Amino acid sequence: MTKVATRRLLGPSKLKILRNIVLSVLVLLIILAASGVWLVRRPWPQVSGNLAIPGLSSSVQIIRDQWGVPQIYAQNEHDLFMAQGFVHAQDRLWSMYFNQLTASGRLGELVGELGLPTDKVLRTIGLRRAAEREWASMDPDARTLLQAYCDGINAFLDANRGNLPIEFTVLGYDPEPWTPVDSISYGNLLSMYLAGNYRLEFLRARLIADIGEQKTKDLLPAYDPSTPFIIPDEVQSYSSMRDMGFAGLDALDKQLGDAGAMWGSNNWVVAGSRTVSGKPILSGDTHMNLAMPSIWYLNGVHGGRFDSVGFTLPGVPGVVIGHNGKIAWAITNLNPDVQDLYIEKLDDRTNPTKYEFQGQWRDIEVIRETIKVKDQQPVPLNIYVTQHGPIINNVIDDMSQADPMAFKWAMIGESKLFSAILQMNEAQNWDQFREALRSWRMPGQNFVYADVDGNIGYQMTSQVPIRVPQHSGLVPVPGWTGEYEWQGYVPYEELPTVYNPPQGFIATANNKVVGDSYPYRITDEWDPGYRAQRITELLQANDRMDIAANQKIQGDTFSIPANNLRTYMLAIQPQNDEEARAIEMLRDWDLHFEANQVAGTLFQTWYWFVFQNTLRDDLNPTLAKDYLDGQYERHGRFHITAMTQIMRDPNNSWFDDQKTPEVETRDDILQQSLGQALAWLKENHGDDMNNWTWGNVHQVTYVNLLASTGNPLFAWLYKVEPIQARGENFSINTGTFTFQDPFSMEHGASQREVIDMSDLDSMQAIHSTGQSGLVRNPHRTDMIDKWQNIEYIPAPSSREKVEQNAASTLTLTPEDPE
């Protein structure tokens, strides 16, 4: 329609009204867009100039590089840690509060009913109650510095009440002042991330009830296949657990991350006799939930006794992984067995007042709490505690009908994590470092060490319970008999340690770190050891290591399990040209999971169908879902080991499909699975096999709970395009994917560092997202490409080098008293 015709149809007055409406809508849209930009940008921190804050005694300089990494220089320790709290709050305030509210069982206050299952479990376990006990018993020095750190957070909070990150505004949450108990609670939450044995006890008991002990050992093989479960006669059938599910624990894992996948990490240290520089080189990468923002934050702290650079945890003072002027350290998760389930006899399952122990009835402790839930009435929660711990299954959906079970965890009330972190930061040699780790009781870790004098070392840390011989720690045990009580803890002096070994290097990757002659049971659930084997092979092959060589190892995507299992695939006779092409691609494959290769996709899809066709028909539907597809085992940590053993016997009974009259063999299952794998790939990724690259099917999507609530604003604010990922579940460069949603990657190397002790300014580091947690901030995602490409940023420590790399300098000054 022409302009003239429009005027004739509407008339001058109506046309004017229409124009005004259109202009009003445009103005409104511009205002809304500007408001949105203002809401997003207003919390971006001041990083240059001068800023007065109350509580400081002297000025503090904060020098940031182009990546937003701050180096803090203070004249005394109080101001140093106060400034670190301030800096953490500048970049990560929202995630800090989200984490501590989660740990405190208060997630429902933010997200409503979605957070209630997690709140119930974490209130019952009592992470915050344990934090309150730890704060009350903390040594004075650590108390002073932790309080200074909290004062820095609150100084930022008080100065920015009307200028907080957009999440606070959208959710209508007004943050309370930060306390030391908040920091300790977050530390306890991280220990919960890294400990998951109780869930395996649940799963193992259910499998025993369904398929018996021997088949359960096949599916959940211990590191030592001869290890007995030692099932107590009193509960041998575990019949009450057979049909329960894991829905409640799955909800918990959405907040905490999958415990099974959290057991990853690599670290190693190479002596100067095997390096180009003649000094040790230390490397490490921790495998965690790939969240937005990253769990880690690069930071340097310089003042008083402290002169450290490395990876910090916003909400926690000090440097957790890195170096000071004399020593360097890196960690991997030990995964010790520090949790047990005790089946209890109660006088009343619904509202118990007593529990039985050695023929007598004891009063049960009742803790009454109230959980606030956004837009709902508060939910009362009664927590029932025996001498073994809180009754846990009554707050986990699908488990309430099982026998009452108390959750015993060595961490609760026993941790001195913050004292250990601070003492480790100031340690100047091996003896002081080991003494600092005496207080690091939870989470259990493998520490590797190097110093500028050329020494290397290893120290295990954990509070490992000593169990009686009849208690394997693998299955729930009776709590009423008194026969399965812990007999104290392994003395620190008897935990494994190594200093300057003759082979010239030390490497750990969650593998078994003690020999069979070691007198104490650490765990029977070590990682299979594929990454440790590969790291060792690569270190042995090179006696002239430098930083680049260590970075190359961190990027290695070779798969030992694929090497072990491919042999059986290649023996299959193809039934058509498509199968022949697939087998040929597997034959030519170099066994590296690189994003541009198709063979890795063929292997993993084939394996996915093989293990389902082998195992699913032998389990009841609920157990099949939880074992094959469920949250705990969906990454394949156990079933890859089980399948490797089963595949050695072509006539193993597991291959026989119970639903057919024929007796199937290994080759029958392999043949069937190959056809199914190719059909699935065509259906989901197109007919062109060239498009089935590993990067097209194996991608990272950064996890954020608020983005998954269905709120379109958060979905838009947090949106990060999926990233083509390298590696697989058992390669050094771990690209941990799920078989539940093939092959979406959720976990991986959350950070990496390489430190040459000949020049601490040459430290190379990266983590998985960026320094900032603020929406749309340039430093929110600017490390992602480097992280994915195994590239690093410099992390110097000397003032001279830091100033050379400076992009901005902020001076904090004491605020004049009024």
Side-chain angles (χ1 to χ4, degrees), residues 344-413:
E344 303 285 22
K345 286 186 178 180
L346 307 178
D347 63 342
D348 185 313
R349 290 185 58 139
T350 304
N351 188 24
T353 60
K354 295 182 181 295
Y355 67 97
E356 183 181 341
F357 184 72
Q358 292 184 328
Q360 296 183 346
W361 289 94
R362 297 186 173 186
D363 291 337
I364 200 165
E365 180 184 2
V366 183
I367 301 173
R368 292 182 169 85
E369 299 203 10
T370 300
I371 302 175
K372 295 179 181 179
V373 184
K374 189 176 184 179
D375 300 327
Q376 284 187 202
Q377 290 297 313
V379 176
L381 177 67
N382 288 342
I383 302 165
Y384 302 99
V385 184
T386 74
Q387 68 186 53
H388 301 116
I391 302 296
I392 189 174
N393 52 301
N394 61 342
V395 293
I396 300 175
D397 293 343
D398 297 342
M399 292 188 177
S400 59
Q401 299 306 308
D403 291 330
M405 281 175 279
F407 174 68
K408 188 172 180 64
W409 182 15
M411 189 282 296
I412 296 297

Side-chain angles (χ1 to χ4, degrees), residues 260-266 268 285-288 290 509-510 527 530-532 535 553-558 593 635 694 698 700 725-737 745-752 768 787-788 790:
M262 292 298 146
W263 294 351
S265 294
N266 308 308
W268 60 90
D285 52 284
T286 55
H287 304 164
M288 303 287 283
L290 293 177
N510 321 111
D527 181 88
Y530 300 124
R531 285 177 288 111
I535 292 168
I553 293 176
Q554 288 185 330
D556 185 74
T557 62
F558 182 87
F593 278 86
H635 304 281
W694 187 232
H698 177 241
V700 180
R726 308 164 67 238
E728 59 106 39
N729 294 344
F730 303 100
S731 55
I732 298 174
N733 180 21
T734 303
T736 307
F737 61 84
M745 179 176 166
E746 298 174 322
H747 305 82
S750 57
Q751 57 77 231
R752 301 183 182 100
S768 55
W787 167 79
Q788 179 57 18
I790 320 297

Side-chain angles (χ1 to χ4, degrees), residues 503-761:
Q503 72 267 25
F505 65 84
I506 305 167
T508 81
N510 321 111
N511 54 297
K512 186 176 181 180
V513 295
V514 293
D516 293 339
S517 61
Y518 185 68
Y520 301 104
R521 173 185 279 132
I522 303 298
T523 182
D524 289 310
E525 294 162 348
W526 305 97
D527 181 88
Y530 300 124
R531 285 177 288 111
Q533 178 183 340
R534 178 66 174 170
I535 292 168
T536 299
E537 290 172 352
L538 294 175
L539 291 177
Q540 288 175 333
N542 188 351
D543 61 1
R544 298 289 291 169
M545 297 290 292
D546 58 11
I547 286 178
N550 283 273
Q551 292 172 333
K552 185 176 180 180
I553 293 176
Q554 288 185 330
D556 185 74
T557 62
F558 182 87
S559 172
I560 290 177
N563 186 42
N564 294 340
L565 294 173
R566 180 178 60 166
T567 301
Y568 307 110
M569 182 65 173
L570 297 181
I572 297 301
Q573 293 300 313
Q575 302 298 300
N576 51 52
D577 291 343
E578 187 177 55
E579 290 187 2
R581 184 184 176 195
I583 291 174
E584 192 60 29
M585 292 181 77
L586 286 172
R587 193 184 310 279
D588 294 338
W589 181 34
D590 64 0
L591 296 165
H592 287 78
F593 278 86
E594 295 297 328
N596 62 350
Q597 293 186 344
V598 173
T601 305
L602 291 171
F603 172 81
Q604 290 293 2
T605 311
W606 161 76
Y607 172 75
W608 179 41
F609 279 97
V610 168
F611 82 75
Q612 290 185 92
N613 290 330
T614 301
L615 304 177
R616 188 178 293 277
D617 62 296
D618 293 273
L619 306 174
N620 74 52
T622 302
L623 265 175
K625 179 181 183 300
D626 287 332
Y627 180 78
L628 298 174
D629 306 319
Q631 192 87 2
Y632 193 91
E633 179 53 355
R634 61 186 181 164
H635 304 281
R637 174 178 175 262
F638 282 100
H639 63 61
I640 193 74
T641 305
M643 288 301 300
T644 300
Q645 296 175 2
I646 291 170
M647 293 281 277
R648 293 169 184 163
D649 177 8
N651 298 306
N652 194 297
S653 61
W654 281 102
F655 294 120
D656 182 27
D657 188 343
Q658 304 297 313
K659 299 175 183 178
T660 68
E662 297 81 16
V663 177
E664 285 81 11
T665 66
R666 178 188 67 202
D667 290 352
D668 294 328
I669 297 299
L670 286 167
Q671 185 70 68
Q672 172 190 352
S673 300
L674 176 57
Q676 291 172 324
L678 295 174
W680 183 90
L681 284 166
K682 285 192 290 185
E683 179 181 352
N684 289 276
H685 297 284
D687 292 334
D688 187 352
M689 192 178 291
N690 293 322
N691 291 330
W692 301 349
T693 61
W694 187 232
N696 281 341
V697 304
H698 177 241
Q699 299 185 345
V700 180
T701 301
Y702 285 97
V703 177
N704 187 288
L705 176 66
L706 293 181
S708 65
T709 60
N711 185 311
L713 176 61
F714 286 130
W716 175 75
L717 289 174
Y718 294 140
K719 184 175 178 57
V720 176
E721 292 299 322
I723 302 163
Q724 293 198 351
R726 308 164 67 238
E728 59 106 39
N729 294 344
F730 303 100
S731 55
I732 298 174
N733 180 21
T734 303
T736 307
F737 61 84
T738 170
F739 286 100
Q740 190 180 50
D741 178 22
F743 297 92
S744 176
M745 179 176 166
E746 298 174 322
H747 305 82
S750 57
Q751 57 77 231
R752 301 183 182 100
E753 85 275 2
V754 181
I755 305 170
D756 188 331
M757 301 306 293
S758 71
D759 179 11
L760 294 177
D761 278 333

Side-chain angles (χ1 to χ4, degrees), residues 202-210 241 244 246 622-623 626:
F202 274 131
L203 180 58
R204 191 174 283 109
R206 293 175 60 204
L207 287 168
I208 291 169
D210 189 48
M241 304 181 201
M244 67 186 186
F246 278 162
T622 302
L623 265 175
D626 287 332

Side-chain angles (χ1 to χ4, degrees), residues 141-265:
D141 184 54
R143 284 176 66 92
T144 298
L145 297 181
L146 180 53
Q147 185 62 63
Y149 176 83
C150 296
D151 292 343
I153 297 172
N154 292 324
F156 175 84
L157 189 62
D158 291 341
N160 293 274
R161 281 287 179 181
N163 200 34
L164 297 178
I166 191 172
E167 292 91 343
F168 290 100
T169 303
V170 173
L171 292 172
Y173 180 73
D174 185 19
E176 303 163 357
W178 190 274
T179 71
V181 173
D182 294 331
S183 290
I184 300 170
S185 296
Y186 178 44
N188 290 348
L189 181 68
L190 292 175
S191 292
M192 191 77 186
Y193 272 136
L194 298 167
N197 172 263
Y198 79 100
R199 182 154 183 176
L200 266 178
E201 290 189 27
F202 274 131
L203 180 58
R204 191 174 283 109
R206 293 175 60 204
L207 287 168
I208 291 169
D210 189 48
I211 59 176
E213 180 178 356
Q214 185 53 53
K215 284 198 169 185
T216 299
K217 289 179 71 173
D218 289 343
L219 296 187
L220 295 176
Y223 201 90
D224 179 358
S226 66
T227 299
F229 291 157
I230 315 179
I231 305 170
D233 292 336
E234 298 92 336
V235 294
Q236 196 157 22
S237 69
Y238 293 114
S239 57
S240 74
M241 304 181 201
R242 180 180 183 274
D243 296 321
M244 67 186 186
F246 278 162
L249 289 179
D250 289 348
L252 176 65
D253 287 342
K254 286 182 180 179
Q255 325 308 336
L256 300 185
D258 183 354
M262 292 298 146
W263 294 351
S265 294

